[in-house]
Amino acid sequence: MTNDPIAHIWILSAAGLVFVMQLGFCLLEIGFVRAKNSINVAIKNVMDFCIAGFLFWLFGYALMFGPSVAALVGVGPVMPGADLPSQQLVFLLFQMMFCGTATTIVSGAVAERMGYGAYIMVSALLSALIYPIFGHWAWGGLAGPESQGWLAALGFLDFAGSTVVHSVGGWLALAAVLVIGPRTGRFDAGVNTLGNGNLTMASAGVLVLWFGWLGFNGGSVLGDLERAPGVLLNTMLAGCAGGLAGHFASSLLMRKPAVEHFLNGILGGLVAVTAGALYVGAGAAALIGAIGGVLVIAGGRLLERLRVDDAVGAVPVHLFAGIWGTLAVALFGDVALFGTGLGRWEQLQVQALGVVACGTFTFGAGYGLLRLLNMLVPLRIDVEAERLGLNIAEHGATSPMLDLAAEMERHRSEGKFDRPVHVEPQSDVELIAAQYNRVISKVQTEIQRHELLLEELGKAKVEAENSNTAKSQFLATMSHELRTPLNAVIGFSHLIADQAYGPIDERYVEHAQDINDGGKHLLALVNDVLDFSRLEAGKFQLNEQPVDLRRVMVGVHRLMLPLAEEGALGLTLDMPEALPPLLADERAVRQILINLVGNAVKFTPAGAHVRIQARLEPDWRLCITVADQGIGMDPQQVPKALEPFTQLEGGLAKGHGGSGLGLSLVNALVRLHEGTMVIQTAPGRGTTIHIRFPARRTIEMPARSGAGRPLASSPANAARG
């Protein structure tokens, strides 16, 4: 250190600028965290500087800049006072600010879930032991050759602290977030971020930090004031380039660049150039800063993939960019300015060794001590305190904004909007609270209106249910009354058509056959109406028993075969030789098959084909398929075709007749069995209908030799119990 008073004024001014960086960190972290933790973050930033400053004065300065013992640690006078020479006091004050900066880096990374008391212990650990010891290795020689540490003796260069300050803080921040884990909900499905409190404040924090960095880097020239302008220019260029690169990288990753990426890109550029601001040219400084800005974005994405939760991006900014900046000294620096006697390759090796030494010592010691502390005193707050926020949980501190947020959250969680929130006069949230109360008033009005509407709807529902019951009773009665005479008409017309009472004119035979066919059609319609009325009234009771599906399908195939032959079309049955029994109502299953096959035959032209298929699917669901090569229909008309008493008009189905109840009855019967019906169709391309019964309705049966696929007990069925 020089005795030049002008140099002393410059260094003391720079120390003041570095102190201002504490304000920058405070504003940045408050802006990046949620409002319910903002007071806690602010207090931690103030407290960690008090701890760092006091402990560094108490014995940290002695450890870092005292005469070296084996080039590992300094041993000097503790609690230095005004009796020291002025140049040493100036140097002490300047280095005290650096210790505070390294310490406060951790606060942002662990924000929103580390307890206040636990953070005090972490701050003490960093400022009292880790920072001074590693600082002695790299910077001890600044106080004189007798204080030189082993890294500096090898030629390690770190002009203003990319590694000594920023990487040390970054390594301990990484150790801390790994020990305490992510914030609750941070990596839940669908969660990209937990949100920021105030990005405007975070932007102001970055500008304050940038301003303070002029003292951080500029003051590090110490007495060599002629080199300060070049260092300051390099610092400004790296910050600009880092911000632009971070903004561009964010634009490539997202449709809209993230503000926090841009801000952290600036900081990444500043951190990266800090190690080499004295040794590189302006162009190299800009390139180093730009790469630092991109590394911050990439590092943040890497941590997210690894589910490492850094609340403000402190680890990518200070650790990743710090490592890059330390290595960049050898890659882009002027070898003639190194003053180490090393070539570029040798210098790169020493720089890499310094990075490894810092990581091994800082992360290793930090992680081990934090794990030990966490076993003795939990570093993390409990879930309820995290939900409330550390402002209230740790400090009992509140604000009109937090009070308003708490009342609004109470409304949301309880689902009660029967009282307005408190309006704090002359506060910054008075307008918000008043407007919210207007919304509450409107909600209460709407709730009352909806309650009246629900009451009216309830009355209408009762009336509708009574009407449906009466309709169902009428349909059932009418159906029963019609079936007896219809059976008589069918029977007598059949006798007449068969000329059971003697020969009659052929015209009368045709008319009698027409009467017989019409009677059968009308009886089928009456039966459908009766079944539909019972289903609609909820009186259709399933008689569930193990059903031999193969036997039922063979019977339906035999029953429908004459109808298919009459229409000159093929009707095939395809199923394995063994099917497990189905727990179902046999009559309902038969009705489903008859309706589906009957429709398929009716809508399939001569020469085409209808296929009936049954199979056991891998998940033990029984599937029945009826596929035809008929007229098909527009898929958009399927919902309409499922409505009762509906016939598609004007389309391909015109002229085929029917009750309009077939598909709706099938759908209802399938649903009664907890099954599903899928219809695949297209005009002119036929229709395929899949009926699937749930796996729990499939009854296991022993495998039979040579019986198609084995149906022995499977893990799936075993899991169903």
Side-chain angles (χ1 to χ4, degrees), residues 571-633:
L571 178 64
T572 59
L573 178 62
D574 178 17
M575 59 182 172
E577 293 183 11
L579 281 173
L582 175 69
L583 183 62
D585 186 317
E586 182 172 331
R587 187 181 69 85
V589 173
R590 184 178 289 106
Q591 184 69 24
I592 290 171
L593 285 165
I594 289 174
N595 280 352
L596 291 181
V597 178
N599 275 348
V601 170
K602 179 167 62 175
F603 293 114
T604 300
H609 196 84
V610 174
R611 180 171 59 88
I612 313 169
Q613 183 185 33
R615 66 181 183 277
L616 181 65
E617 296 187 332
D619 58 0
W620 278 75
R621 290 188 301 173
L622 276 170
C623 178
I624 298 173
T625 301
V626 177
D628 63 58
Q629 298 173 336
I631 60 175
M633 58 179 162

Side-chain angles (χ1 to χ4, degrees), residues 377-419:
V377 181
L379 300 179
R380 182 172 181 144
I381 59 174
D382 58 47
V383 175
E384 179 60 20
E386 188 175 349
R387 185 190 69 80
L388 287 174
L390 276 71
N391 294 351
I392 296 175
E394 291 282 281
H395 311 287
T398 186
S399 66
M401 175 65 77
L402 293 176
D403 290 340
L404 174 61
E407 290 193 65
M408 294 169 70
E409 172 62 20
R410 193 179 303 115
H411 280 174
R412 184 201 67 79
S413 60
E414 295 177 357
K416 296 179 180 179
F417 302 91
D418 54 350
R419 62 185 184 276

Side-chain angles (χ1 to χ4, degrees), residues 526-692:
V526 168
N527 287 332
D528 285 349
V529 169
L530 179 59
D531 284 341
F532 180 77
S533 67
R534 293 168 63 196
L535 284 167
E536 194 176 44
K539 295 181 179 180
F540 195 103
Q541 298 295 325
L542 293 179
N543 181 23
E544 295 183 336
Q545 295 180 4
V547 175
D548 185 348
L549 187 59
R550 179 179 176 83
R551 178 180 58 80
V552 173
M553 294 186 69
V554 169
V556 171
H557 177 259
R558 189 165 52 245
L559 178 67
M560 303 303 294
L561 198 56
L563 183 63
E565 292 173 349
E566 182 180 339
L569 53 92
L571 178 64
T572 59
L573 178 62
D574 178 17
M575 59 182 172
E577 293 183 11
L579 281 173
L582 175 69
L583 183 62
D585 186 317
E586 182 172 331
R587 187 181 69 85
V589 173
R590 184 178 289 106
Q591 184 69 24
I592 290 171
L593 285 165
I594 289 174
N595 280 352
L596 291 181
V597 178
N599 275 348
V601 170
K602 179 167 62 175
F603 293 114
T604 300
H609 196 84
V610 174
R611 180 171 59 88
I612 313 169
Q613 183 185 33
R615 66 181 183 277
L616 181 65
E617 296 187 332
D619 58 0
W620 278 75
R621 290 188 301 173
L622 276 170
C623 178
I624 298 173
T625 301
V626 177
D628 63 58
Q629 298 173 336
I631 60 175
M633 58 179 162
D634 187 338
Q636 295 182 351
Q637 290 184 304
V638 170
K640 184 177 180 181
L642 291 174
E643 296 177 5
F645 302 108
T646 299
Q647 290 182 331
L648 303 182
E649 298 179 357
L652 295 173
K654 185 177 180 180
H656 286 78
S659 67
L661 281 173
L663 277 181
S664 60
L665 275 174
V666 168
N667 192 37
L669 291 172
V670 170
R671 289 182 179 276
L672 275 180
H673 287 84
E674 307 167 291
T676 59
M677 180 169 71
V678 177
I679 301 176
Q680 299 171 319
T681 184
R685 296 186 178 182
T687 299
T688 299
I689 299 178
H690 302 282
I691 305 293
R692 289 183 173 87

Side-chain angles (χ1 to χ4, degrees), residues 456-503:
E456 294 175 0
L457 287 174
K459 294 178 180 178
K461 181 179 179 182
V462 171
E463 294 176 0
E465 289 176 350
N466 292 337
S467 175
N468 286 336
T469 300
K471 180 180 71 175
S472 297
Q473 290 176 347
F474 169 75
L475 289 174
T477 302
M478 182 190 70
S479 299
H480 282 298
E481 292 296 326
L482 288 175
R483 290 174 72 175
T484 299
L486 274 175
N487 281 322
V489 169
I490 292 170
F492 285 120
S493 62
H494 179 70
L495 291 174
I496 294 172
D498 284 351
Q499 303 184 46
Y501 302 112

Side-chain angles (χ1 to χ4, degrees), residues 21 25 98 101-102 105 131 139 158 160-173 209 213 216-217 267 270-272 274-275 314-315 317-323 358:
M21 292 178 72
F25 278 116
F98 275 55
T101 300
I105 290 170
Y131 175 76
W139 282 356
D158 187 3
S162 288
T163 290
V164 176
V165 176
H166 295 284
S167 287
V168 165
W171 280 118
L172 191 62
L209 281 169
W213 230 290
F216 198 86
N217 286 0
L267 298 180
L270 291 169
V271 169
T274 294
V315 174
V317 168
H318 299 281
L319 177 56
F320 297 167
I323 291 173
C358 181

Side-chain angles (χ1 to χ4, degrees), residues 9 22 117 129 135 142 177 208 230 235 242 284 376 394 405 464 498 507 580 595 655 669:
I9 293 173
Q22 290 290 139
L129 295 175
L142 294 176
V177 296
V208 172
T235 301
L376 299 174
E394 291 282 281
D498 284 351
R507 290 174 300 170
N595 280 352
L669 291 172

